[in-house]
């Protein structure tokens, strides 16, 4: 894509992900730079910027390049910038946020498009984030399996895997500022198991172990073996990349094309990030 020539782009794995240099996101972006960033995200699915110094308001401005900023209902935003949430794991905490493979807010009717995560405080080592390319995972399936999946729809629920619901789960994370959620029973949405990317036309698997409960018309027990197989297919090592954080690292990922998992391997250390998501389209 021609616009990428505005940026210095280096792939970080054979599957997906690229480091992007040559841009200071705190400065107002030209239309050509914004186009180049959108193209880079569509091409590489995960893009990583180093040494960025962004206020919450500047992070929101950067997010607007990728779409309309959405609200995450389970956590309070920053007092002066409510659409930015803080992801904080304290030194004494055992659990982390986002520690299982997922695609952000797949339980919404219109789930997240892009997520922007800015590192503020990072462990000396550890706390990396893994990403998996759900399009490569789909392409690598047999034609017969792809045909079968093409007709399936899945239920995605925000409470899946959380004792007492997701809101209660957030309240158990001491570093996080949980929000009161009016929805009882969490959020649930039905989405196709194979979705087509609205901008690239690429097809990809849209089930994840954190939120996908069952296939429409099937019980959980009937669905589980195939959900488990698809989740394992998505995270095959050859479909993944890994981002190592430092303060000032900003990573943007496309939830319509990838899943991610925050690795919880930094016991006794603190990790603090600011996160913004944009609202995607209804998957189809
Ligand atoms: C998330 O799931 O959005 C958090 C990812 C991370 O903290 O690395």
């Amino acid at each position: 894509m021609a616009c990428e020539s505005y940026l210095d782009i280096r792939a970080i794995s054979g599957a997906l992900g690229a480091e992007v240099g040559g841009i200071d996101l705190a400065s107002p972006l030209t239309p050509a730079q914004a186009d180049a960033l959108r193209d880079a995200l569509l091409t590489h699915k995960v893009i990583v910027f180093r040494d960025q110094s962004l206020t919450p308001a500047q992070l929101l401005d950067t997010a607007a390049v990728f779409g309309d900023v959405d609200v995450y209902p389970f956590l309070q935003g920053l007092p002066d910038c409510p659409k930015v949430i803080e992801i904080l794991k304290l030194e004494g905490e055992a659990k982390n946020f986002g520690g299982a493979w997922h695609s952000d807010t797949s339980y919404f009717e219109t789930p997240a498009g892009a997520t922007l995560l800015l590192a503020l405080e990072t462990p000396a080592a550890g706390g990396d984030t893994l990403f998996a390319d759900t399009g490569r995972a789909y392409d690598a399936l047999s034609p017969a399996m792809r045909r079968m999946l093409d007709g399936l729809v899945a239920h995605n629920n925000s409470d899946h895997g959380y004792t007492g619901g997701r809101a209660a789960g957030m309240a158990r994370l001491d570093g996080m500022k949980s929000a009161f959620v009016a929805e009882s029973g969490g959020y649930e949405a039905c989405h196709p198991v194979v979705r087509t990317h609205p901008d690239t036309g690429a097809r990809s698997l849209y089930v994840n172990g954190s939120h996908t409960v069952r296939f429409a018309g099937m019980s959980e027990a009937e669905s589980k073996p195939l959900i488990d197989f698809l989740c394992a297919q998505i995270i095959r090592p050859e479909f993944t990349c890994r981002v190592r954080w430092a303060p000032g690292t900003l990573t943007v990922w496309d939830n319509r094309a990838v899943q991610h998992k925050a690795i919880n391997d930094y016991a006794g250390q603190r990790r603090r990030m600011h996160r913004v998501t944009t609202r995607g389209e209804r998957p189809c």
Side-chain angles (χ1 to χ4, degrees):
M1 295 183 184
C3 289
E4 284 196 14
S5 58
Y6 286 92
L7 305 169
D8 175 19
I9 297 184
R10 286 152 213 253
I12 58 171
S13 87
L16 78 166
E19 293 228 4
V20 177
I23 192 157
D24 173 10
L25 296 168
S27 304
L29 299 180
T30 64
Q33 284 177 316
D35 280 347
L37 291 180
R38 283 188 287 268
D39 281 350
L41 184 62
L42 290 177
T43 302
H44 300 284
K45 304 174 180 181
V46 177
I47 50 178
V48 183
F49 305 85
R50 300 292 183 187
D51 303 318
Q52 302 292 324
S53 175
L54 296 176
T55 64
Q58 288 168 328
L59 182 60
L60 285 179
D61 287 344
T62 307
V65 168
F66 300 99
D68 295 334
V69 171
D70 208 356
V71 170
Y72 183 71
F74 297 103
L75 293 171
Q76 291 174 39
L78 300 179
D80 51 351
C81 220
K83 289 186 172 171
V84 177
I85 60 168
E86 185 159 276
I87 296 177
L88 169 61
K89 180 168 179 263
L90 299 168
E91 290 85 338
E93 281 191 271
K95 288 201 167 152
N96 71 335
F97 175 83
W101 284 101
H102 63 286
S103 175
D104 285 332
T105 61
S106 61
Y107 41 79
F108 283 168
E109 297 294 332
T110 52
T115 299
L116 291 84
L117 192 63
L118 174 68
L120 302 172
E121 295 173 61
T122 54
D128 299 353
T129 304
L130 295 171
F131 295 90
D133 185 326
T134 52
R136 286 185 187 272
Y138 173 74
D139 291 343
L141 293 169
S142 65
M145 175 62 101
R146 290 204 299 265
R147 273 196 300 279
M148 186 186 79
L149 296 176
D150 283 346
L152 284 182
V153 167
H155 288 254
N156 296 274
N157 192 297
S158 60
D159 283 357
H160 189 44
Y162 280 91
T163 311
R166 188 176 184 83
M170 293 296 113
R172 287 192 289 270
L173 297 171
D174 292 340
M176 312 285 279
K177 297 198 170 39
S178 67
F180 171 74
V181 179
E183 292 274 321
S184 63
Y187 293 82
E188 178 152 319
C190 287
H191 294 308
V193 166
V194 179
R195 67 180 295 181
T196 303
H197 196 288
D199 298 319
T200 66
R203 294 172 73 67
S204 63
L205 292 173
Y206 199 58
V207 295
N208 67 86
S210 295
H211 307 314
T212 308
V213 182
R214 64 183 177 88
F215 300 113
M218 296 188 205
S219 67
E220 288 189 28
E222 288 169 331
S223 307
K224 189 173 183 314
L226 183 52
I227 292 174
D228 288 350
F229 167 78
L230 294 174
C231 290
Q233 168 78 358
I234 289 165
I235 63 168
R236 276 167 48 180
E238 63 270 34
F239 303 147
T240 68
C241 72
R242 179 172 182 139
V243 171
R244 176 145 202 220
W245 302 91
T249 301
L250 171 71
T251 300
V252 185
W253 64 87
D254 185 348
N255 289 287
R256 302 165 302 180
V258 306
Q259 288 185 21
H260 61 283
K261 171 192 169 83
I263 303 176
N264 192 8
D265 62 349
Y266 51 104
Q269 298 182 73
R270 184 180 163 97
R271 181 178 184 270
R272 188 166 70 94
M273 328 286 270
H274 280 171
R275 190 182 93 154
V276 177
T277 52
T278 69
R279 185 179 305 115
E281 314 71 16
R282 191 179 170 85
C284 60

